[in-house]
Amino acid sequence: MIRDAREHNETVTPNDFEIERIRAALPEYFDKDGNFMIDTLEEALRGGADQSFA
């Protein structure tokens, strides 16, 4: 059990937790390989400013 935790800690990077939170909240902005598609997010944000929610 302790060995498993130590092995996990050796492979995890500081931003893994944040990436997982973003992936869970915004799955449509990740491709099938798990890469974040920033250009798709930027498009949505630009387009969202012009839309009316009324």
Side-chain angles (χ1 to χ4, degrees):
M1 186 163 144
I2 293 173
R3 182 180 67 192
D4 294 337
R6 185 180 59 209
E7 288 174 358
H8 173 72
N9 288 342
E10 290 175 359
T11 60
V12 71
T13 60
N15 65 348
D16 282 348
F17 177 73
E18 292 300 323
I19 294 295
E20 287 306 315
R21 288 181 56 204
I22 294 169
R23 187 174 283 129
L26 303 168
E28 63 273 17
Y29 298 108
F30 287 85
D31 65 15
K32 63 180 178 174
D33 297 322
N35 299 312
F36 187 68
M37 301 182 298
I38 187 73
D39 49 338
T40 305
L41 177 61
E42 288 173 343
E43 268 184 50
L45 293 174
R46 274 194 294 269
D50 297 334
Q51 296 176 356
S52 173
F53 292 102

